[in-house]
Amino acid sequence: MVVPVAILFFIFHTIPFLQGIFYSFTNWRGYGDWEFVGLKNYLHMFQDADILNSYLFTFKFAIISTILVNVIGLFLAIGLNAKIKFQRFLKAVYFLPYMLGTLIIGFIFNFIFAHLVPEFGIGAGIEALSVNILGTEYAWLGIVIVTVWQSLAFTTLIYLSGLQTVDQDIYEAADLDGASGFTLFRKITFPLLAPFFTINMVLSAKGFLMAFDQIVAMTNGGPGTSTTSISLLIYKKGFTGGQFAYQSANSVVLFLVVVIISIVQLRILEKREANMG
Amino acid sequence: MKSLKLKGVLAIGFSLLLLSGCSSKDSSDKVTIEVFNNKSENQQIMKTFIAEYEEKNPNVHVVFSSPPDAGTVLRTRLVKNDIPNIISYGGDITYTELANVGMLEDLSKENFAGNIVPAYKEMTIDLQQEKDKLYGIPYATNASGVIYNQELFAKYNVEIPKTWDEFIAVCELFEKEGITPIEATYKDAWTLSSLFNPMAGILANDKLMTDRKTGKQKLADGWVEPMEQVSEVMKHTQKDAMGTGYADGVQAFAKGKAAMLINGTWAIPEVQKANKDMKVSLFALPASNDVAKNKVTSGVDVMFMIGKDTKNQKESKDFINFLLEKEQAQRYVDDQFAFSAQQGIKQTDPALTQVSPMIEAGKVNDFIDHFLPNGYDMAALLSEFALEQNKAPENTTKNINNTLKKMDKAYDAANIE
């Protein structure tokens, strides 16, 4: 089974990827004639305000979302791991958002932010909630809320499986030593979860740096360009803006950025795991 | 393990066979032409026309594709050199590009090029570099303007405003009565262009767009007043204008929650879908206080082009001819609330009595954004301005200057050559 999958992967993933790198050294607009321009596209990127703004937004969005998803996910996992009633049912409920398509979630929240929240805000007399957040300068917060809500499921699942691996004897021993509550979490649970923490950090950071679907569905990059992520900019300008080659260069840079960030995260966090072990 | 591998290879090979053997047998003796269409609103009527045409011409099979985000799809197809036989598209910057890079056949010698309304033929030629050719046949045109609730206007004895001052007076009158004057839908940034286009078209110097291209003038030289008007209009909308999308805004307007909706003829059927009994009409936005200067902003909404070197051009031309026949052209404008770019076809719908005479008299301006380079995101720039205005309405002058600076900068950067 490995060989055919590798062939398919090569045809549908590796070849287009190499094509993209190739075109990033040309001035191709997506149609018509083209010639080689060397590194011109890459150099031009650094003076392009659109690209700069999209990187700033994407990093802000990715950092905040990563922190929120991991903190909340960890607590949810600990809660769901405790001896509570309806444990299975609750696990299923918390996992539900993961099953839905991001686009659909985006459209549903569009409705919630446009109608339900303002109605509640007006009724309760809360000025801040009386308008659609997606039309304000805080539109990015709306996107963070939806993204975190959806990503929590997967993060929580990984932490839960991590908690299942922790031997109960350790807790009994800790209990004898008089550790409880937060101390127990800080000294025992969290260190034992270190590898799972690493996976979650890397996966969520990677996912949020490439955010696209929910933004298309909710704001399409607006108001203005305040929520235009890097992927959305590549899509918009690359296909409809006649900047195919130029945005291919942007894609290559985004790829390198994601790879470097992931490697750095792995290095730091794995070192941490070793220290904790 | 070995047998598994073999199975896998067989499965893949078999599925590739399936993919390649997809041409159905029954259409093999037919001539197939593809019509690529960019409007979601006219799919129904186009499909009706196609069915009728196929009935008359059993040897032709017309494939209709009308994907969402058609501009992007069309460009990705051009990337693969997969040009549709017939492209049915609006007269905007996409046409300019296709015409100038030699992707289209010249139709100026065809007999159906002789019946175009002169104003729209000029508009089309303005969009292309070679002035002696014609790559697209304008079919239907639209008008941008102010859709208004006739019942509310009658109830408060409001006259149709003829000048900018009168228009603002109408807004203030409704405000006094506790009615939202304008339902704005700025969450969909393109609707800001519907507002800006008539203002810029009427108030700015006619030469501005061509002078901008040659660098003789800046956008900032001609657009201060239109931008001031945009900020003025923003004062007379519902509170959450920035958070209201086009679909929601149309619904609210159809429920009678506001007196006016600044958009275009294409939005009238949407309003009527939401509320059959509503009496709506459309007047041209009077941006100038000089009545003689006020024109309708009207552009080519649908034009037909033929892809360069595509097969079956005889059949493609015959199909275009069929669409241009008087009967079909009339049915199209009646169905779509459009105006015809073909001579002798009248739009008599009561909802359009305000603008029909102006259009027939040729008192039209093209949409400003039809002259902007591709990749120039006018809507996003206007949306950014609207956001700044919402945050700090007291800094209007500063906001306008900043936006105009950005607009000029973006114009220079729109195409990195």
Side-chain angles (χ1 to χ4, degrees), chain A residues 4 28 30-31 40 44 110 115 127 130-132 134-137 218 223-224 235 237 239-243 246, chain B residues 5 12 69 72 75-76 78-79 97 187 239-240 242-243 248 374-375 380 383-384 387 391 414-417:
Chain A
W28 196 41
Y31 45 86
K40 194 176 157 200
H44 194 278
N110 233 350
H115 298 283
E127 185 56 31
S130 66
V131 292
N132 183 349
L134 300 176
T136 66
E137 61 202 285
M218 286 166 66
Y235 169 78
K237 297 266 176 175
F239 286 124
T240 47
Q243 299 183 339
Y246 179 52
Chain B
K5 258 191 201 165
I12 302 252
D69 208 356
T72 307
R75 283 186 175 82
T76 45
L78 297 179
V79 171
E97 280 175 27
K187 183 161 184 286
K239 184 181 170 199
D240 194 12
M242 287 299 287
D248 286 339
N374 181 30
S383 157
E384 207 171 328
L387 185 68
K391 271 198 284 192
N415 281 315
I416 57 159
E417 293 296 349

Side-chain angles (χ1 to χ4, degrees), chain B residues 270-282:
Chain B
E270 304 292 315
V271 172
Q272 295 189 327
K273 249 183 251 168
N275 181 356
K276 297 197 302 297
D277 312 324
M278 187 163 182
K279 285 202 172 57
V280 291
S281 184
L282 178 136

Side-chain angles (χ1 to χ4, degrees), chain A residues 107-141:
Chain A
F107 287 128
I108 292 171
F109 270 95
N110 233 350
F111 180 82
I112 292 174
F113 284 135
H115 298 283
L116 305 183
V117 175
E119 270 170 34
F120 167 78
I122 292 165
I126 304 168
E127 185 56 31
L129 293 180
S130 66
V131 292
N132 183 349
I133 191 175
L134 300 176
T136 66
E137 61 202 285
Y138 302 111
W140 66 277
L141 274 179

